[in-house]
Amino acid sequence: MTASDLTVGEVVAERDFTLIRDTLVRYAGASGDFNAIHYRDDIAQSVGLPGVLAHGMLTMGFAVQPVVDWIGDPGRVLDYQVRFTRPVPVDATDGALVSVVAKVGALEEAAVRIDLTVTFDGQTVLGKAQVRVSIA
Amino acid sequence: MFPPAAPYLVGREKIREFSRAVFATSPLSTDVAAARAAGYDDLVAPPTFPVVIQEHTLQQLLAEPDSGIDFGRVVHGDQRFTFTRPIIAGDELTATLTVASVKSLGGHSMVTAESSIVDAAGEHVVTAISTLVVRGDE
């Protein structure tokens, strides 16, 4: 693939992710982030939150996966950044559905910047979510 | 700048465990033969895997008695990973934490912590940059 095969604004990948409480416990173990607001409603509520929230880093972690699958190699990611703008509450019975749309943001000779739109409940949860991948 | 954290040996099963936790489906992160066919020595970690190593350095920061940071008041503001090369199973990585800036903003403070991660030869692999927002007294 070369930059001339792509157009700025073109959607290259999209995928929906269903998070349940088990997802958060699994991520806590895998990442080492055992902050209890990600698995205990009582503790989340004691610090003024509506209930258990997804780890921001979990959302960052899966949001890039449609791009990895599109480019076919996680080793092609050169740079990945996000701002955490809104929390993702994960209901104990209903879970949370998070949608990711990946579009071409900018083209370079040997790299492309993909911009991610990540939404929960109709609102974006990540800001300035940008992945720079090598197409060399 | 903090002293370097203890070296972290990247295990194959840890990459598989982390991949599953972030819904990674690339065979390069789970199937050694696929990773080798793509030219890597072993499994390739998903892009946010450096958070596992960064977590150890942030514990150094939060454990600092005069950091003034109360873990219960910390909110993750933003995160960035800048790679020289991907993390591969078998890498022995060492992270060094630097507090790049501390800013006050309307009663909150924003701490930018940068973890530079190098391999056993001392070559740069990835830099992980986190901005932590510490909420002030309400």
Side-chain angles (χ1 to χ4, degrees):
Chain A
M1 182 172 29
T2 66
S4 59
D5 300 327
L6 298 165
T7 316
V8 171
E10 175 186 354
V11 173
V12 294
E14 41 193 326
R15 188 172 158 195
D16 291 341
F17 294 89
T18 302
L19 311 184
I20 56 174
R21 291 284 170 92
D22 311 44
T23 316
L24 308 191
V25 172
R26 184 182 295 283
Y27 185 77
S31 66
D33 180 347
F34 290 101
N35 190 332
I37 64 164
H38 304 301
Y39 54 89
R40 278 184 58 179
D41 283 311
D42 58 333
I43 291 190
Q45 285 157 4
S46 77
V47 294
L49 299 169
V52 159
L53 306 179
H55 305 73
M57 285 306 302
L58 166 60
T59 303
M60 184 180 189
F62 67 72
V64 74
Q65 295 306 327
V67 179
V68 169
D69 289 341
W70 167 69
I71 202 75
D73 180 352
R76 285 185 175 268
V77 173
L78 305 171
D79 188 282
Y80 179 30
Q81 62 176 319
V82 307
R83 283 207 327 259
F84 301 103
T85 52
R86 202 172 272 118
V88 177
V90 179
D91 185 80
T93 48
D94 297 338
L97 181 73
V98 181
S99 302
V100 178
V101 178
K103 284 184 188 172
V104 176
L107 295 165
E108 300 166 41
E109 202 171 309
V112 52
R113 194 191 80 212
I114 303 294
D115 295 345
L116 304 175
T117 305
V118 182
T119 51
F120 164 73
D121 206 15
Q123 294 188 298
T124 60
V125 296
L126 298 181
K128 208 190 174 192
Q130 301 180 341
V131 197
R132 215 172 134 253
V133 294
S134 166
I135 52 169
Chain B
M1 191 177 317
F2 287 76
Y8 181 95
L9 179 61
V10 179
R12 229 182 232 174
E13 301 308 333
K14 188 68 190 178
I15 289 183
R16 289 192 174 117
E17 178 193 10
F18 190 87
S19 298
R20 189 170 174 200
V22 295
F23 302 90
T25 46
S26 173
L28 276 58
S29 297
T30 53
D31 178 350
V32 178
R36 291 196 173 139
Y40 295 102
D41 289 339
D42 212 303
L43 297 184
V44 184
T48 61
F49 186 87
V51 73
V52 174
I53 298 141
Q54 174 187 259
E55 191 71 29
H56 293 273
T57 60
L58 292 180
Q59 293 309 323
Q60 286 182 300
L61 173 65
L62 297 171
E64 187 72 12
D66 31 316
S67 73
I69 298 177
D70 169 4
F71 190 60
R73 292 178 177 276
V74 173
V75 178
H76 202 168
D78 55 55
Q79 179 70 39
R80 181 170 196 167
F81 300 105
T82 303
F83 291 88
T84 298
R85 68 162 177 88
I87 292 176
I88 307 294
D91 277 338
E92 189 169 277
L93 302 174
T94 302
T96 304
L97 173 73
T98 309
V99 175
S101 74
V102 181
K103 284 180 215 159
S104 286
L105 195 75
H108 302 316
S109 40
M110 311 223 323
V111 179
T112 301
E114 194 174 301
S115 301
S116 176
I117 299 174
V118 300
D119 63 19
E123 302 288 337
H124 182 259
V125 176
V126 56
T127 296
I129 304 170
S130 287
T131 301
L132 305 175
V133 181
V134 188
R135 289 177 293 154
D137 295 316
E138 261 121 275

